[in-house]
Amino acid sequence: ASGQVWFDDILLEQADGRPAPPKIAAKMLAACPHIAFVRRASYGMAGMQSVMFAQRTGRGSSICVYDPARPDAGAKAIFTTTEGFIYDMSPSYDGKRLVFSYKKTTADPFHVWEIATDGSGLRQLTSGPYHDFSPVYYPDGRIIFSSTRVESYSLCQNYLACALYAIKPDGSDMRRIDWTTLCTTSPAILSDGSILCTRWEYQDKNIFAWGGLWTINPNGRQLKLYHGNTFRVPNIVCKAREIPGTKTVI
């Protein structure tokens, strides 16, 4: 019920800020696609996004799907863990699959998993003694994610370093595409095919201005600053996404 009210409020205020008549609101809800989200407690972790993944988490998470056209049905859980923890998740371009980072127990590292939006086809795509997290689909089917497979620490603190990797849809042909000496996280795909990401480094800035937005091609070429290298507040920008059909990033 609370989810229904929240979605209603968002939709009613989109047009001009005034409440929409009930019939119009119902049509607006029915036109929305299904919404997938992770239900869990807070991270239970501290620090900037680049290092949270390596800390011990809480227990219990669910992946839920909500159909705005059927608000009375509520959200349906398609995957639930009582002992593990889900870090983050992204949808496929056709909206039929979800790729997410998940650890089976609090003592395990995060790995990349995939599930269909109807709850079928759960499968693990990465393994090993590393944290694999923040996966996103690339248009050609590959999956881009951050990983501690670099087997190193950041230059100035005792945090695990991480870089961007790519795998084929079945988890094979893993390749490192980013060669940072610190952390590269939060990949997202822009409409031009480049990968938008948060990059922690200290080129031309002080120690407290950690993470700006950068872009890199999926073959590892053309690393470029996108935004925020000289900003001091906020000292990190992460989880940036391009609004579909625009050049605007939020």
Side-chain angles (χ1 to χ4, degrees), residues 117-129:
T117 52
D118 63 2
S120 64
L122 177 68
R123 59 175 181 163
Q124 183 175 349
L125 298 178
T126 66
S127 61

Side-chain angles (χ1 to χ4, degrees), residues 29-225:
L29 280 169
C32 288
H34 288 58
I35 299 169
F37 62 94
V38 175
R39 175 184 288 160
R40 55 167 167 71
S42 65
Y43 283 1
M45 298 177 272
M48 55 182 267
Q49 194 271 344
S50 296
V51 300
M52 284 182 175
F53 65 86
Q55 300 181 32
R56 186 172 290 275
T57 65
R59 296 178 180 178
S61 303
S62 295
I63 296 176
C64 301
V65 175
Y66 176 81
D67 183 359
R70 300 179 59 201
D72 294 337
K76 176 184 177 182
I78 62 169
F79 174 76
T80 298
T81 174
T82 57
E83 295 298 321
F85 195 84
I86 297 171
Y87 185 68
D88 51 11
M89 177 180 69
S90 294
S92 62
Y93 283 87
D94 60 8
K96 296 181 179 180
R97 292 164 294 144
L98 301 167
V99 65
F100 60 103
S101 51
Y102 161 58
K103 58 167 65 177
K104 289 184 176 181
T105 72
T106 56
D108 292 330
F110 284 106
H111 288 304
V112 176
W113 291 67
E114 184 181 56
I115 192 172
T117 52
D118 63 2
S120 64
L122 177 68
R123 59 175 181 163
Q124 183 175 349
L125 298 178
T126 66
S127 61
Y130 309 100
H131 290 286
D132 303 320
F133 60 102
S134 297
V136 293
Y137 290 99
Y138 197 75
D140 64 2
R142 283 179 293 173
I143 296 171
I144 311 296
F145 61 97
S146 295
S147 178
T148 61
R149 295 171 187 271
V150 297
E151 297 185 337
S152 65
Y153 288 85
S154 64
L155 292 176
C156 65
Q157 301 180 47
N158 61 339
Y159 295 142
L160 291 174
C162 59
L164 297 182
Y165 285 73
I167 54 174
K168 290 184 177 179
D170 62 358
S172 64
D173 194 26
M174 184 180 296
R175 300 190 180 192
R176 181 177 177 178
I177 60 175
D178 161 55
W179 297 89
T180 179
T181 57
L182 290 165
C183 293
T184 302
T185 62
S186 304
I189 311 305
L190 298 179
S191 55
D192 64 1
S194 62
I195 301 168
L196 181 68
C197 55
T198 297
R199 186 176 173 91
W200 177 13
E201 45 96 315
Y202 295 130
Q203 292 292 337
D204 300 322
K205 56 186 175 182
N206 68 58
I207 191 173
F208 299 108
W210 289 349
L213 297 178
W214 293 68
T215 58
I216 190 172
N217 289 343
N219 60 4
R221 297 180 178 179
Q222 296 296 314
L223 176 67
K224 299 177 182 179
L225 175 67

